[in-house]
Amino acid sequence: MATRTYRLLWLLPPLLLSLAVVASVMAWPHLPARMPIHWGISGEPTGLAPKGFAVAMLPAIMVWVGAILGLILWSATRMNEGPLPAWLPPTVIAATLGLFLVMHLALIATGLGWPVSLPMVTYVGMGLCLVGMGRIIRSMPANCAIGVRTPRTLSDPAAMERANRVAGRGLVVAGVLTALAAPLPGAWPFAVAIISLLSMTIMAGRAARGA
């Protein structure tokens, strides 16, 4: 039963990609000839593109990112030393593609003239992904692909588990702060995300060294 469930999890990434394509097709007749596709650090649109490029951009990125992540994580589950749990690769891929799907829907909504802020949606989605990543890494034992990877942790499983716990807590905090900062004006959400992630990295590095 567990094996069947893990296999069903692999259906989530293509399902999310299909939803993105369907949304593009349904919105196509109602979109303007040119749409904003790029926002500056201040949250204001800084670039336009033909709607064909706009509605295909994020689904194409979903295919590319999903394929790369799938190859890396699937290979990691086959390694003899510290293999990954079977449920982890499809879950990580689905969460990543889910973020891109939400961004794609927000992009389409912007093109339709709806009052949607793509930068705000992106920061909220990124924050939720960081929280999920932190909860996974926090309890992740030493393995071949996921977690804090330094010369010390790669040679000492106990150091990796200790660093992963600290990094996991830090990612949860960074995710919550990033999501809460999303409505702030200008570059504040970006600054909060960067400072939070840098702080997490420093704390995880200290934990890996046993400081």
Side-chain angles (χ1 to χ4, degrees), residues 133-188:
M133 189 186 306
R135 291 180 62 84
I136 290 174
I137 291 178
R138 183 170 57 183
S139 58
M140 184 66 61
N143 65 87
C144 56
I146 301 294
V148 180
R149 302 179 63 78
T150 66
R152 175 67 181 274
T153 60
L154 291 175
S155 62
D156 184 356
M160 175 174 280
E161 292 184 15
R162 181 173 61 247
N164 283 351
R165 286 195 301 270
V166 174
R169 289 193 294 267
L171 282 172
V172 170
V173 173
V176 171
L177 292 177
T178 299
L180 292 177
L184 297 178
W188 279 107

Side-chain angles (χ1 to χ4, degrees), residues 39-161:
W39 279 256
I41 195 173
S42 64
E44 296 297 325
T46 57
L48 299 175
K51 68 176 181 179
F53 180 85
V55 299
M57 175 180 63
L58 284 171
I61 292 175
M62 291 172 71
V63 172
W64 183 76
V65 171
I68 296 298
L69 278 178
L71 179 61
I72 293 173
L73 295 175
W74 180 84
S75 300
T77 62
R78 298 298 187 268
M79 293 184 179
N80 294 325
E81 185 176 351
L84 295 176
W87 58 267
L88 187 60
T91 302
V92 170
I93 296 169
T96 304
L97 298 192
L99 173 59
F100 283 117
L101 173 61
V102 171
M103 293 170 60
H104 182 59
L105 296 178
L107 179 67
I108 290 175
T110 300
L112 294 173
W114 296 359
V116 176
S117 171
L118 180 58
M120 183 184 299
V121 170
T122 300
Y123 282 119
V124 171
M126 185 172 68
L128 294 177
C129 283
L130 289 175
V131 170
M133 189 186 306
R135 291 180 62 84
I136 290 174
I137 291 178
R138 183 170 57 183
S139 58
M140 184 66 61
N143 65 87
C144 56
I146 301 294
V148 180
R149 302 179 63 78
T150 66
R152 175 67 181 274
T153 60
L154 291 175
S155 62
D156 184 356
M160 175 174 280
E161 292 184 15

